[in-house]
Amino acid sequence: MDERRCAAGGDSRLSFAPASDEEFLRTVRRIAVGSLDEETRRNVAARDVEAAAREEWEFYRGCPGEREWWRLAYGPDGRLAGLAIPSATPYARNVGFLGVLPEFRGRGYVDDLLAEVTRSHAQAGAKLITATTDTGNAPMAAAFARAGYRTTEIRMIWSAPVAEPERAS
C-alpha cells in the first residue's frame, strides 16, 4: 500500500511517506554531500560522510520528538527528493531536520519540506514551533522567512582556534 500523501492539503509538489531507519540514514548520507549546514560540513571534513550522517541521525533519534513523525519526500515523478524530520525540545515542537538531495536542490523543495513539518506540528495542536539554522545558510534562513517564521534570537557558537602543529627548527 502506498502511504504517500501530499503536504499542506495538497498544495505541495512533494508527497511524504514514512520509511525505515536504514532508508532515513541512507538519505541523510546523501543530503550531507554539499550541505550548507556548517556543523554537517565540519563533521564531513573531520571524519567522512558516513560518520557525519550517522551522528546526525543518532542525534535526532535521541530528541524528544517521535520517530513516527519522520517522512521521506518524493517529487512529482516519484523519485526520492529529500526528508523532513519534525522534532521537539522539552519546551516546544521544532523543525528538526530538513534536507533536499543534491540533484533536487535549487527547485524550492525546501519550502515544501518546511510546510510539511509546520503542518504536522500545527495539526497536532502545537502552539509554538521553533527552528534554527546557521547564519551562513542563507537559503534555509530565507525559507523560514517565506514561511512566516520570525527571528527571535541569535546564538553564536565560539570555539578556540585549532592549534597549529609546532615546526621543527
Side-chain angles (χ1 to χ4, degrees), residues 19-169:
S20 71
D21 287 349
E22 184 51 43
E23 289 172 298
F24 274 106
L25 184 55
R26 188 170 40 248
T27 305
V28 171
R29 273 188 217 110
R30 291 179 61 197
I31 288 167
V33 176
S35 173
L36 295 178
D37 180 81
E38 184 59 33
E39 186 173 354
T40 301
R41 293 167 71 110
R42 206 171 30 250
N43 288 338
V44 167
R47 293 183 286 281
D48 61 21
V49 171
E50 176 63 32
R54 187 162 293 280
E55 184 177 302
E56 194 84 50
W57 179 80
E58 288 174 3
F59 173 80
Y60 286 103
R61 290 280 300 172
C63 286
E66 300 295 327
R67 169 61 177 82
E68 295 79 41
W69 301 345
W70 299 16
R71 296 289 181 265
L72 290 182
Y74 298 88
D77 62 359
R79 292 176 37 214
L80 179 64
L83 62 76
I85 299 180
S87 194
T89 69
Y91 312 105
R93 298 284 185 104
N94 74 350
V95 178
F97 184 89
L98 301 178
V100 178
L101 294 176
E103 63 269 27
F104 289 95
R105 291 180 181 148
R107 300 181 190 186
Y109 286 155
V110 66
D111 294 328
D112 299 273
L113 294 167
L114 182 54
E116 171 67 3
V117 172
T118 304
R119 182 208 54 76
S120 69
H121 284 326
Q123 281 187 342
K127 301 293 184 220
L128 174 67
I129 304 169
T130 62
T132 61
T133 192
D134 300 332
T135 55
N137 190 343
M140 190 69 242
F144 285 133
R146 285 190 301 273
Y149 282 74
R150 307 184 316 282
T151 300
T152 58
E153 61 185 58
I154 296 174
R155 183 177 87 177
M156 302 290 292
I157 300 174
W158 298 87
S159 60
V162 176
E164 294 290 325
E166 291 187 31
R167 294 186 183 148
S169 310

